[in-house]
Amino acid sequence: MRTISFIFASLVTMLAQSSFAQDIQKQSVNEDLRARLPEEIRTAGKITAVNNGSFPPYEIVTGTELSGATRDISDAIGQLLGVEVDHASVAGLPALLSGINAGRYQFAMGPVGDYPDRQKSNDFIDWVREYVVFAVEKGNPQDITSLDTACGKRIAVMSGGSAEKVIKQQAQKCTEGGKPAVEVQSFTDQPSSILAVRSKRSDAFFSSQAPLTYFVEQAKGQLELSGVGQANGFKDIYQGAVVKKGSPLGGVLLDAFKILMKNGTYAAVMKKWGLEKNMIDAPGINQGQ
């Protein structure tokens, strides 16, 4: 499975680089922001960001290398702060959040879903808005168009993610209503989930619209999106960078995003990766409700 994921990540990286290649302006160091960094980061001259595997087109992990919109944003923020941003990968969102809270990593650029239960232990610096939909086999043979139509179906989700929680709640609603429960299939990464649908081991993958759109475009007509334009169990979804609760790094990242939005870098990165519909007008902290 890891070999397949590696090949898939390599393919989408090459496609992205050829399809969206454009220059992103280099940032000058903002001394005021740099001065607000924790002393240990300034002294080390670097900061470690963690991800939980490929989440195209934001995060595309190929071996130990990261590309995608998140990498471009990370590079720009590192330039603003005058530090090098190192990237580490872990298996699954729970490991990402616990790693930040244990101090193994300073932050995650994400974007990670911002929800009230997660805000108890972490602060989220929101920089995108997202929607949750289904990726299904072309023609949608299982007729999965909403949460209500997922009863009795095999639904793939990311382990530990908000979509997993929603689909498990739906499974309970199905049984309470006298219908077959949803068979929830949890995976640690996006490529494995998509592969399950393409190989017909899952009937649908329930996840964020931006990466699913990306995967569908690369599937050469094998997949399509379903449930677009519906709430699907979610309110407005904000996603963002993640720091430990109360970390001064949160305010630094917030102001860094304000600069990138004002000088056009944020828009350039989002457009480069086909994420115009996920842009927000201004960053914020813990906006998820």
Side-chain angles (χ1 to χ4, degrees), residues 36 112-116 118-128 238-258 261 280 282-289:
R36 290 165 52 193
V112 176
D114 175 4
Y115 300 101
R118 294 178 181 172
Q119 294 168 8
K120 296 175 183 178
S121 301
N122 297 90
D123 287 326
F124 293 78
I125 302 86
D126 303 320
W127 56 280
V128 298
Y238 286 97
Q239 295 184 336
V242 188
V243 298
K244 189 174 182 179
K245 192 69 179 179
S247 169
L249 188 57
V252 173
L253 292 175
L254 177 69
D255 289 341
F257 271 108
K258 288 179 180 178
M261 289 185 178
I280 58 177
I285 293 182
N286 297 337
Q287 298 180 106
Q289 298 180 0

Side-chain angles (χ1 to χ4, degrees), residues 64-106:
T64 59
E65 293 298 316
L66 177 71
S67 60
T70 294
R71 175 58 187 265
D72 287 346
I73 290 289
S74 298
D75 287 347
I77 287 181
Q79 292 162 9
L80 279 175
L81 302 180
V83 298
E84 180 181 348
V85 181
D86 291 339
H87 298 278
S89 295
V90 296
L93 184 60
L96 178 150
L97 295 174
S98 63
I100 292 172
N101 290 335
R104 290 190 293 274
Y105 317 104
Q106 279 79 49

